[in-house]
Amino acid sequence: MQALRTRAACVARRTRPTNLRTKRSYASESHGHDSHHHDAPQVEEGLGTAFYVFAAAVPVSYVAYSVSRPGPNGEPSSISNWLQSFDYFNDWEVRNTLRTNMIEQAAYDKHLLRHAGKNPHVELKMPELINAGSPWNIPAGHYPKLDHLTEHYRRQAAEEEERKFKKLSAKAKAEQESSEA
């Protein structure tokens, strides 16, 4: 029963109008006459900088527009003639050609680098890195024997050194023969 009573009280509270006060009164307005109020003194305010900037921008815009228009017989405007006196504006064909060539080369390089296959072969600089790891806390049988791998890279390095030696000796022999002739 208590739940129904509290629910009914809540509904009754919601149905009551909330604006019971018709007008709020303030202490400063309760005098009824304006003789006690003191207004701020009147101050002359200027038009401000924005007004003068706008007022100057209108005739300047008109003059700039009229100067930039071509002549009555189709001759270029005075601004166009002035800009043509600079070398930067005269070689635009050369600049455009260079930029086009650079963009085309960049696109070619981008295409080449994006679609080139990656080399899956990784050459080991130091075979000791294969065995790098903590020697402690390794269960028996979990540390593989990599002696055959280390031997493979030693053999490969020896063959590479032998190839380099043969190439250098052949080059030295060719230089010796050319100097004797």
Side-chain angles (χ1 to χ4, degrees):
M1 205 57 180
Q2 178 66 27
L4 290 176
R5 192 176 304 145
T6 55
R7 188 75 180 142
C10 183
V11 169
R13 232 178 313 167
R14 284 186 185 167
T15 58
R16 271 190 266 156
T18 55
N19 293 340
L20 294 178
R21 291 184 228 137
T22 56
K23 187 175 181 183
R24 181 174 286 193
S25 63
Y26 297 99
S28 62
E29 295 176 354
S30 63
H31 296 299
H33 54 356
D34 293 330
S35 62
H36 297 289
H37 293 285
H38 299 287
D39 293 331
Q42 295 294 326
V43 178
E44 292 293 327
E45 293 183 9
L47 295 175
T49 309
F51 173 77
Y52 293 112
V53 168
F54 178 74
V58 171
V60 167
S61 300
Y62 177 74
V63 169
Y65 177 77
S66 62
V67 169
S68 68
R69 302 308 308 152
N73 297 332
E75 64 265 3
S77 67
S78 56
I79 291 180
S80 297
N81 290 334
W82 178 66
L83 289 176
Q84 290 298 323
S85 67
F86 297 110
D87 290 336
Y88 179 78
F89 295 102
N90 293 333
D91 58 350
W92 60 272
E93 290 179 9
V94 175
R95 274 187 288 121
N96 286 348
T97 305
L98 288 174
R99 286 179 183 164
T100 303
N101 291 341
M102 286 190 311
I103 290 171
E104 287 175 354
Q105 184 64 39
Y108 174 78
D109 293 344
K110 180 179 176 183
H111 179 72
L112 181 68
L113 293 174
R114 277 206 177 163
H115 300 292
K118 292 183 178 179
N119 188 2
H121 179 68
V122 177
E123 199 65 45
L124 286 179
K125 301 272 183 204
M126 298 186 318
E128 296 83 25
L129 290 178
I130 296 173
N131 296 326
S134 175
W136 296 284
N137 294 332
I138 297 175
H142 287 135
Y143 200 72
K145 289 200 55 85
L146 300 174
D147 296 335
H148 64 284
L149 190 61
T150 306
E151 186 59 34
H152 166 74
Y153 279 107
R154 280 201 188 110
R155 232 179 302 125
Q156 186 178 359
E159 290 171 2
E160 182 68 21
E161 289 297 323
E162 185 178 343
R163 185 190 65 80
K164 288 179 185 177
F165 176 73
K166 286 180 181 177
K167 187 176 178 182
L168 284 174
S169 62
K171 186 177 180 181
K173 190 175 184 181
E175 287 179 3
Q176 186 180 16
E177 289 176 1
S178 66
S179 65
E180 289 176 2

